[in-house]
Amino acid sequence: MKDIQNEKPARSRNFIEEIIEEDIREGKNDSRVHTRFPPEPNGYLHIGHAKSICLNFGLADKYNGLTNLRFDDTNPVKEDVEYVDSIMEDVRWLGFDWGDRLYYASDYFGQLYEYAVILIKKGKAYICDMPAEEISATRGTPTRPGKESPYRNRTVEENLDLFGRMRAGEFPDGTRVLRAKIDMSSPNMHMRDPILYRILHTNHHRTGDAWCIYPMYDFAHGESDSIERITHSICTLEFEVHRPLYDWLIREIDIYAPRQIEFARLNLSYTVMSKRKLLELVKEKYVQGWDDPRMPTICGLRRRGYTPESIRNFADIIGVAKRDNMIDVSLLEFCIREDLNKQANRVMGVLNPVKVIIDNYPERQVEEMEAAVNPENPEAGTRKVPFSKELYIEREDFMEDPPNKFFRLAPGREVRLRAAYIIKCESVEKDPVTNEITAIHCYYDVNTKSGMPDSNRKVKGTLHWVSASHAVEVDVRLYDRLFVVPDPDNAEEGKNFKDYLNPDSLTEVKGYLEPSIRDAKIGEKYQFERLGYFVVDKDSKAKSLVFNRVVPLRDSWARIEGQK
RNA sequence: UGUCCGAUGGUGUAACUGGCAACACAUCUGAUUCUGGAUCAGAAGAGUCUAGGUUCGACCCCUAGUCGGACAACCA
């Protein structure tokens, strides 16, 4: 039988998939696909890492392969278990499983040491006694060749002896390094006798004080991939120039060679993505922590109310290529709206209330109105919303002197109250001093209750509302983009990214919600009808709920308004 | 004045590997709607960085430029 789904063209392959498929076709590595996600545990993961995670795990999944999680923990002075834990939590939360393949570069310190010895014995590596500044100074520049170290031609015996004594802890930090002996005049800076090992008398989060010399990333990374028999080492563009070094190392040590493929990292508008800058925002308290809902970190997005599905879908949509890119946040927002529109239960709540009094509604009467929990998902059923004489509606939903495009409440005009009656505005009460509207008087049409025949009457606007005496007061945090410019990394002369922070990225207000919200649990997402999607924040207490706005609904009225 | 990489609508990614450019987001119209949401239908928007060349035919191959990015931590 023909597979009907094949009728519709499959999503075209990205360049990495093409490479992998070619390798499979040619039977490389017995057509095996094995990738890895190799974070350094020195910070929290962000949406850029999510792209890489989805890519690596996604590729393995697509080609029936495997993906390892490996911590590149070769620099104990910067790394910490706090980060290890958060990284694992985030990868898992995103929906990926590394099975029993959790590794650490530090697992390989013994093996790596042996590899170094091999290089020394082959005369391909030597101990250099120059201080850091001198090594740097003799490295040359991209356009000018470097100078050879005076220690470059030590004998194999001497190098072996010195390396052993480095390891034994005989020398203080910074006094000696192991360097590869390649070519000080190579046009590729990374080939100018790169440092392989340095002395660091620092406790390592896993190996404790077993080592006082640690391999450099360039030495550890490719070899770790080799040890794990990774078939395709997917990494970002900046490592492209390192590849010749990795190839050299692998060839000289004579071990299994993975294939490295570089792709362009993700850039998102109106935010920053570098760990250093993110750390700065946290340390200098511009945000409240790594999981501040304004942060592009995975934990920040999670707290903001993003779902793993929406992020995975985002990673899929943006694609993979080699050219530098800047993705518009509106695409991320599209992804979460699309997901939450289908998932989130609806609830009515007013954030900027103004009182509505239904003059012809019986004084003490309360009706339980029936409303769909989620119109996009009939199976979710209905909920009861209490209706009474005094209500709150959104202050912006009323205008005394409206333009004709305004479909909401105004003197003499009719609107529908969602899931309730059609009401007509009769008069307005104002504060004599401030002239602010304090109450709107309306009449309701008894025959227009939802479901009744007369309720089919056409009215232009439908408003959300909440019964004043039944409203549950909650705290609401309205988030906006963290920066006011699309590309804060690209600061003009004399400024830095922090000069572009959005002072209004967080606004805290009270919200008045329908009573059904009382059962809300931390992490649950709701659509506040006509307002946006909100998630219950972990700061919530039993009697005081705190909501984070994930993203507002698309608002074409605001767009019309904005055009003026 | 080095090496490596890249260049397709506003943004991102495609184009069956040479047959006159598609999809998504954003934008705009209209329909529909008890969310100015969602949904549905449609429109506009690039002739593929430039100049040569190969070819019946080039986004795709070649040459030379232009522009952009990465690389000079004992960071990863």
Short mmCIF file of all heavy atoms in Angstrom, two decimals, chain A residues 316-366:
data_model
loop_
_atom_site.label_atom_id
_atom_site.label_comp_id
_atom_site.label_asym_id
_atom_site.label_seq_id
_atom_site.Cartn_x
_atom_site.Cartn_y
_atom_site.Cartn_z
N ASP A 316 12.75 24.00 15.54
CA ASP A 316 12.52 23.35 14.26
C ASP A 316 12.27 24.37 13.15
O ASP A 316 12.82 24.29 12.06
CB ASP A 316 11.31 22.42 14.41
CG ASP A 316 11.22 21.45 13.26
OD1 ASP A 316 12.26 20.86 12.93
OD2 ASP A 316 10.12 21.30 12.70
N ILE A 317 11.46 25.34 13.48
CA ILE A 317 11.07 26.36 12.51
C ILE A 317 12.23 27.24 12.06
O ILE A 317 12.32 27.62 10.89
CB ILE A 317 9.95 27.25 13.11
CG1 ILE A 317 8.63 26.50 13.07
CG2 ILE A 317 9.85 28.56 12.36
CD1 ILE A 317 7.49 27.30 13.66
N ILE A 318 13.11 27.60 12.98
CA ILE A 318 14.19 28.53 12.62
C ILE A 318 15.22 27.91 11.69
O ILE A 318 15.94 28.61 11.00
CB ILE A 318 14.91 29.10 13.86
CG1 ILE A 318 15.51 27.98 14.70
CG2 ILE A 318 13.96 29.94 14.68
CD1 ILE A 318 16.32 28.49 15.89
N GLY A 319 15.28 26.57 11.68
CA GLY A 319 16.20 25.94 10.75
C GLY A 319 17.66 26.02 11.18
O GLY A 319 17.98 26.59 12.22
N VAL A 320 18.50 25.45 10.35
CA VAL A 320 19.93 25.41 10.64
C VAL A 320 20.70 25.76 9.39
O VAL A 320 20.44 25.21 8.33
CB VAL A 320 20.38 23.99 11.06
CG1 VAL A 320 21.79 24.03 11.60
CG2 VAL A 320 19.44 23.40 12.08
N ALA A 321 21.64 26.68 9.52
CA ALA A 321 22.46 27.02 8.37
C ALA A 321 23.77 27.61 8.87
O ALA A 321 24.03 27.61 10.07
CB ALA A 321 21.74 28.02 7.48
N LYS A 322 24.58 28.09 7.98
CA LYS A 322 25.88 28.60 8.40
C LYS A 322 25.97 30.11 8.42
O LYS A 322 26.97 30.67 8.84
CB LYS A 322 26.98 28.05 7.46
CG LYS A 322 27.15 26.55 7.59
CD LYS A 322 28.39 26.05 6.89
CE LYS A 322 29.62 26.40 7.69
NZ LYS A 322 30.80 25.59 7.28
N ARG A 323 24.96 30.77 7.92
CA ARG A 323 25.08 32.22 7.90
C ARG A 323 24.60 32.82 9.22
O ARG A 323 23.70 32.29 9.88
CB ARG A 323 24.32 32.81 6.74
CG ARG A 323 22.83 32.86 6.98
CD ARG A 323 22.10 33.39 5.77
NE ARG A 323 21.80 32.29 4.85
CZ ARG A 323 20.73 32.27 4.07
NH1 ARG A 323 19.90 33.27 4.04
NH2 ARG A 323 20.51 31.25 3.27
N ASP A 324 25.19 33.92 9.61
CA ASP A 324 24.79 34.58 10.84
C ASP A 324 23.34 35.00 10.71
O ASP A 324 22.88 35.39 9.65
CB ASP A 324 25.66 35.82 11.08
CG ASP A 324 27.10 35.42 11.35
OD1 ASP A 324 27.30 34.42 12.04
OD2 ASP A 324 28.00 36.10 10.83
N ASN A 325 22.62 34.91 11.81
CA ASN A 325 21.20 35.21 11.74
C ASN A 325 20.73 35.94 12.98
O ASN A 325 21.36 35.90 14.02
CB ASN A 325 20.42 33.91 11.60
CG ASN A 325 20.65 33.00 12.79
OD1 ASN A 325 20.06 33.17 13.84
ND2 ASN A 325 21.54 32.04 12.65
N MET A 326 19.62 36.60 12.84
CA MET A 326 18.98 37.27 13.97
C MET A 326 17.49 36.97 13.87
O MET A 326 16.80 37.49 12.99
CB MET A 326 19.25 38.78 13.89
CG MET A 326 18.41 39.63 14.81
SD MET A 326 18.97 39.62 16.51
CE MET A 326 20.34 40.77 16.38
N ILE A 327 17.02 36.11 14.73
CA ILE A 327 15.62 35.73 14.68
C ILE A 327 14.79 36.74 15.47
O ILE A 327 15.16 37.14 16.56
CB ILE A 327 15.41 34.33 15.28
CG1 ILE A 327 16.38 33.32 14.69
CG2 ILE A 327 13.96 33.89 15.12
CD1 ILE A 327 16.02 32.76 13.37
N ASP A 328 13.68 37.12 14.88
CA ASP A 328 12.78 38.06 15.53
C ASP A 328 12.05 37.36 16.68
O ASP A 328 11.49 36.30 16.49
CB ASP A 328 11.77 38.57 14.49
CG ASP A 328 11.13 39.86 14.93
OD1 ASP A 328 10.71 39.94 16.10
OD2 ASP A 328 11.06 40.79 14.12
N VAL A 329 12.05 37.98 17.89
CA VAL A 329 11.33 37.35 19.01
C VAL A 329 9.89 37.05 18.69
O VAL A 329 9.29 36.16 19.31
CB VAL A 329 11.24 38.22 20.30
CG1 VAL A 329 12.30 37.85 21.28
CG2 VAL A 329 11.13 39.66 19.98
N SER A 330 9.32 37.79 17.75
CA SER A 330 7.91 37.57 17.44
C SER A 330 7.68 36.13 16.97
O SER A 330 6.59 35.60 17.09
CB SER A 330 7.42 38.56 16.39
OG SER A 330 8.06 38.34 15.17
N LEU A 331 8.74 35.50 16.46
CA LEU A 331 8.59 34.11 16.03
C LEU A 331 8.48 33.19 17.25
O LEU A 331 7.69 32.24 17.27
CB LEU A 331 9.78 33.70 15.15
CG LEU A 331 9.68 32.34 14.48
CD1 LEU A 331 8.45 32.23 13.59
CD2 LEU A 331 10.92 32.05 13.66
N LEU A 332 9.27 33.49 18.26
CA LEU A 332 9.19 32.72 19.51
C LEU A 332 7.80 32.90 20.11
O LEU A 332 7.18 31.96 20.59
CB LEU A 332 10.24 33.25 20.49
CG LEU A 332 11.05 32.31 21.38
CD1 LEU A 332 11.46 32.99 22.67
CD2 LEU A 332 10.35 31.00 21.69
N GLU A 333 7.34 34.15 20.10
CA GLU A 333 6.03 34.45 20.66
C GLU A 333 4.92 33.75 19.89
O GLU A 333 3.95 33.26 20.47
CB GLU A 333 5.80 35.97 20.68
CG GLU A 333 6.73 36.67 21.65
CD GLU A 333 6.63 38.19 21.60
OE1 GLU A 333 6.06 38.74 20.63
OE2 GLU A 333 7.14 38.82 22.53
N PHE A 334 5.10 33.69 18.59
CA PHE A 334 4.14 32.95 17.77
C PHE A 334 4.06 31.49 18.23
O PHE A 334 2.98 30.93 18.35
CB PHE A 334 4.54 33.02 16.30
CG PHE A 334 3.86 32.00 15.44
CD1 PHE A 334 2.56 32.19 15.01
CD2 PHE A 334 4.53 30.83 15.07
CE1 PHE A 334 1.92 31.23 14.22
CE2 PHE A 334 3.90 29.87 14.30
CZ PHE A 334 2.59 30.07 13.87
N CYS A 335 5.22 30.91 18.49
CA CYS A 335 5.27 29.50 18.87
C CYS A 335 4.56 29.23 20.19
O CYS A 335 3.88 28.22 20.34
CB CYS A 335 6.72 29.01 18.95
SG CYS A 335 7.52 28.90 17.35
N ILE A 336 4.73 30.12 21.15
CA ILE A 336 4.09 29.86 22.44
C ILE A 336 2.59 30.14 22.37
O ILE A 336 1.77 29.44 22.95
CB ILE A 336 4.76 30.63 23.60
CG1 ILE A 336 4.19 30.17 24.94
CG2 ILE A 336 4.63 32.15 23.46
CD1 ILE A 336 4.34 28.71 25.22
N ARG A 337 2.20 31.14 21.58
CA ARG A 337 0.76 31.41 21.43
C ARG A 337 0.07 30.23 20.76
O ARG A 337 -1.01 29.81 21.15
CB ARG A 337 0.53 32.65 20.56
CG ARG A 337 0.80 33.96 21.25
CD ARG A 337 0.19 35.10 20.45
NE ARG A 337 0.60 36.39 20.98
CZ ARG A 337 1.50 37.18 20.41
NH1 ARG A 337 2.09 36.81 19.28
NH2 ARG A 337 1.81 38.34 20.96
N GLU A 338 0.72 29.73 19.73
CA GLU A 338 0.15 28.63 18.98
C GLU A 338 -0.10 27.43 19.90
O GLU A 338 -1.14 26.78 19.83
CB GLU A 338 1.12 28.23 17.85
CG GLU A 338 0.57 27.18 16.92
CD GLU A 338 1.61 26.69 15.94
OE1 GLU A 338 2.77 26.46 16.37
OE2 GLU A 338 1.29 26.54 14.75
N ASP A 339 0.86 27.15 20.75
CA ASP A 339 0.75 26.02 21.66
C ASP A 339 -0.30 26.29 22.74
O ASP A 339 -1.21 25.49 22.96
CB ASP A 339 2.12 25.76 22.29
CG ASP A 339 2.14 24.46 23.09
OD1 ASP A 339 1.26 23.61 22.85
OD2 ASP A 339 3.00 24.31 23.96
N LEU A 340 -0.18 27.43 23.39
CA LEU A 340 -1.08 27.73 24.50
C LEU A 340 -2.53 27.95 24.05
O LEU A 340 -3.47 27.67 24.80
CB LEU A 340 -0.57 28.97 25.25
CG LEU A 340 0.17 28.76 26.58
CD1 LEU A 340 0.75 27.36 26.73
CD2 LEU A 340 1.21 29.81 26.81
N ASN A 341 -2.70 28.42 22.84
CA ASN A 341 -4.08 28.59 22.35
C ASN A 341 -4.82 27.26 22.39
O ASN A 341 -6.00 27.21 22.70
CB ASN A 341 -4.05 29.13 20.92
CG ASN A 341 -5.45 29.27 20.33
OD1 ASN A 341 -6.35 29.80 20.98
ND2 ASN A 341 -5.65 28.77 19.12
N LYS A 342 -4.10 26.20 22.12
CA LYS A 342 -4.73 24.89 22.14
C LYS A 342 -4.80 24.29 23.54
O LYS A 342 -5.72 23.57 23.87
CB LYS A 342 -3.96 23.93 21.20
CG LYS A 342 -4.27 24.19 19.74
CD LYS A 342 -3.47 23.30 18.81
CE LYS A 342 -2.05 23.83 18.68
NZ LYS A 342 -1.20 23.04 17.79
N GLN A 343 -3.78 24.59 24.35
CA GLN A 343 -3.70 23.95 25.67
C GLN A 343 -4.38 24.71 26.80
O GLN A 343 -4.91 24.08 27.72
CB GLN A 343 -2.22 23.80 26.09
CG GLN A 343 -1.28 23.37 25.01
CD GLN A 343 -1.45 21.91 24.64
OE1 GLN A 343 -2.56 21.48 24.33
NE2 GLN A 343 -0.37 21.16 24.67
N ALA A 344 -4.26 26.03 26.78
CA ALA A 344 -4.58 26.77 28.00
C ALA A 344 -6.08 26.92 28.24
O ALA A 344 -6.85 27.26 27.34
CB ALA A 344 -3.92 28.14 27.95
N ASN A 345 -6.48 26.69 29.48
CA ASN A 345 -7.87 26.93 29.87
C ASN A 345 -8.13 28.42 29.94
O ASN A 345 -7.22 29.19 30.25
CB ASN A 345 -8.15 26.29 31.23
CG ASN A 345 -8.16 24.78 31.14
OD1 ASN A 345 -8.12 24.10 32.14
ND2 ASN A 345 -8.21 24.25 29.92
N ARG A 346 -9.36 28.80 29.64
CA ARG A 346 -9.70 30.23 29.65
C ARG A 346 -10.27 30.61 30.99
O ARG A 346 -10.93 29.81 31.66
CB ARG A 346 -10.72 30.59 28.58
CG ARG A 346 -10.51 30.02 27.17
CD ARG A 346 -9.49 30.66 26.32
NE ARG A 346 -8.52 29.63 25.91
CZ ARG A 346 -8.10 29.45 24.66
NH1 ARG A 346 -8.53 30.19 23.68
NH2 ARG A 346 -7.19 28.53 24.40
N VAL A 347 -10.07 31.85 31.31
CA VAL A 347 -10.56 32.38 32.55
C VAL A 347 -10.74 33.88 32.30
O VAL A 347 -10.09 34.44 31.43
CB VAL A 347 -9.49 32.03 33.64
CG1 VAL A 347 -8.54 33.14 33.86
CG2 VAL A 347 -10.11 31.46 34.86
N MET A 348 -11.69 34.51 33.05
CA MET A 348 -11.82 35.95 32.87
C MET A 348 -11.24 36.69 34.06
O MET A 348 -11.39 36.25 35.20
CB MET A 348 -13.29 36.34 32.66
CG MET A 348 -13.80 35.95 31.28
SD MET A 348 -15.33 36.77 30.85
CE MET A 348 -16.49 35.88 31.87
N GLY A 349 -10.58 37.77 33.76
CA GLY A 349 -9.97 38.56 34.82
C GLY A 349 -9.73 39.96 34.32
O GLY A 349 -9.54 40.18 33.13
N VAL A 350 -9.78 40.90 35.24
CA VAL A 350 -9.63 42.31 34.88
C VAL A 350 -8.39 42.86 35.57
O VAL A 350 -8.18 42.64 36.76
CB VAL A 350 -10.89 43.09 35.33
CG1 VAL A 350 -10.70 44.59 35.08
CG2 VAL A 350 -12.12 42.58 34.57
N LEU A 351 -7.56 43.53 34.80
CA LEU A 351 -6.31 44.03 35.36
C LEU A 351 -6.37 45.51 35.72
O LEU A 351 -5.67 45.99 36.59
CB LEU A 351 -5.15 43.81 34.37
CG LEU A 351 -4.85 42.36 34.01
CD1 LEU A 351 -3.62 42.28 33.12
CD2 LEU A 351 -4.64 41.51 35.27
N ASN A 352 -7.23 46.22 35.03
CA ASN A 352 -7.35 47.65 35.30
C ASN A 352 -8.84 47.97 35.40
O ASN A 352 -9.46 48.43 34.45
CB ASN A 352 -6.69 48.45 34.18
CG ASN A 352 -6.69 49.94 34.45
OD1 ASN A 352 -6.90 50.37 35.59
ND2 ASN A 352 -6.45 50.73 33.40
N PRO A 353 -9.41 47.69 36.58
CA PRO A 353 -10.86 47.64 36.71
C PRO A 353 -11.57 48.99 36.76
O PRO A 353 -11.04 49.97 37.29
CB PRO A 353 -11.06 46.91 38.04
CG PRO A 353 -9.84 47.21 38.83
CD PRO A 353 -8.72 47.36 37.85
N VAL A 354 -12.77 48.99 36.21
CA VAL A 354 -13.68 50.10 36.43
C VAL A 354 -15.03 49.43 36.69
O VAL A 354 -15.35 48.40 36.09
CB VAL A 354 -13.74 51.08 35.23
CG1 VAL A 354 -14.26 50.39 33.98
CG2 VAL A 354 -14.61 52.29 35.57
N LYS A 355 -15.78 50.00 37.63
CA LYS A 355 -17.01 49.34 38.04
C LYS A 355 -18.15 49.55 37.05
O LYS A 355 -18.32 50.65 36.52
CB LYS A 355 -17.43 49.82 39.43
CG LYS A 355 -18.64 49.08 39.98
CD LYS A 355 -18.81 49.32 41.47
CE LYS A 355 -17.90 48.47 42.30
NZ LYS A 355 -18.15 48.60 43.76
N VAL A 356 -18.89 48.47 36.82
CA VAL A 356 -20.10 48.56 36.01
C VAL A 356 -21.26 48.17 36.91
O VAL A 356 -21.21 47.13 37.57
CB VAL A 356 -20.03 47.60 34.80
CG1 VAL A 356 -21.41 47.46 34.16
CG2 VAL A 356 -19.04 48.13 33.76
N ILE A 357 -22.29 49.01 36.95
CA ILE A 357 -23.47 48.69 37.75
C ILE A 357 -24.65 48.46 36.81
O ILE A 357 -24.97 49.33 35.98
CB ILE A 357 -23.79 49.82 38.74
CG1 ILE A 357 -22.59 50.03 39.68
CG2 ILE A 357 -25.06 49.48 39.55
CD1 ILE A 357 -22.66 51.31 40.50
N ILE A 358 -25.24 47.27 36.90
CA ILE A 358 -26.38 46.95 36.06
C ILE A 358 -27.62 47.41 36.80
O ILE A 358 -28.11 46.71 37.69
CB ILE A 358 -26.49 45.44 35.78
CG1 ILE A 358 -25.12 44.83 35.49
CG2 ILE A 358 -27.50 45.15 34.69
CD1 ILE A 358 -24.59 45.07 34.12
N ASP A 359 -28.12 48.57 36.46
CA ASP A 359 -29.19 49.18 37.24
C ASP A 359 -30.46 48.34 37.31
O ASP A 359 -31.14 48.33 38.33
CB ASP A 359 -29.51 50.57 36.67
CG ASP A 359 -28.38 51.56 36.94
OD1 ASP A 359 -27.74 51.44 38.02
OD2 ASP A 359 -28.12 52.42 36.09
N ASN A 360 -30.78 47.65 36.24
CA ASN A 360 -32.03 46.88 36.26
C ASN A 360 -31.82 45.42 36.66
O ASN A 360 -32.67 44.58 36.42
CB ASN A 360 -32.73 46.97 34.90
CG ASN A 360 -31.87 46.41 33.78
OD1 ASN A 360 -30.64 46.35 33.91
ND2 ASN A 360 -32.51 45.98 32.70
N TYR A 361 -30.68 45.13 37.21
CA TYR A 361 -30.43 43.74 37.66
C TYR A 361 -30.80 43.64 39.13
O TYR A 361 -30.44 44.52 39.92
CB TYR A 361 -28.96 43.38 37.45
CG TYR A 361 -28.69 41.89 37.51
CD1 TYR A 361 -28.93 41.07 36.41
CD2 TYR A 361 -28.21 41.31 38.68
CE1 TYR A 361 -28.69 39.71 36.46
CE2 TYR A 361 -27.97 39.94 38.75
CZ TYR A 361 -28.20 39.14 37.63
OH TYR A 361 -27.97 37.79 37.70
N PRO A 362 -31.53 42.57 39.51
CA PRO A 362 -31.98 42.41 40.90
C PRO A 362 -30.83 42.51 41.89
O PRO A 362 -29.76 41.94 41.68
CB PRO A 362 -32.57 41.00 40.92
CG PRO A 362 -32.94 40.72 39.50
CD PRO A 362 -31.97 41.45 38.65
N GLU A 363 -31.12 43.23 42.97
CA GLU A 363 -30.12 43.59 43.96
C GLU A 363 -29.20 42.45 44.41
O GLU A 363 -27.99 42.52 44.29
CB GLU A 363 -30.83 44.18 45.18
CG GLU A 363 -29.93 45.03 46.07
CD GLU A 363 -29.40 46.25 45.34
OE1 GLU A 363 -30.21 46.99 44.70
OE2 GLU A 363 -28.18 46.48 45.37
N ARG A 364 -29.75 41.41 44.95
CA ARG A 364 -28.88 40.40 45.56
C ARG A 364 -28.74 39.14 44.70
O ARG A 364 -28.24 38.13 45.13
CB ARG A 364 -29.40 40.05 46.95
CG ARG A 364 -28.36 40.34 48.03
CD ARG A 364 -28.96 40.24 49.42
NE ARG A 364 -28.94 41.51 50.12
CZ ARG A 364 -29.90 42.44 50.08
NH1 ARG A 364 -30.98 42.22 49.37
NH2 ARG A 364 -29.80 43.57 50.76
N GLN A 365 -29.16 39.22 43.49
CA GLN A 365 -29.15 38.03 42.64
C GLN A 365 -27.75 37.66 42.15
O GLN A 365 -26.94 38.54 41.85
CB GLN A 365 -30.05 38.26 41.43
CG GLN A 365 -30.11 37.06 40.48
CD GLN A 365 -31.19 37.26 39.43
OE1 GLN A 365 -32.35 37.53 39.73
NE2 GLN A 365 -30.79 37.13 38.17
N VAL A 366 -27.48 36.37 42.13
CA VAL A 366 -26.23 35.88 41.53
C VAL A 366 -26.58 34.75 40.58
O VAL A 366 -27.31 33.83 40.94
CB VAL A 366 -25.27 35.34 42.62
CG1 VAL A 366 -24.04 34.73 41.96
CG2 VAL A 366 -24.87 36.45 43.59
#
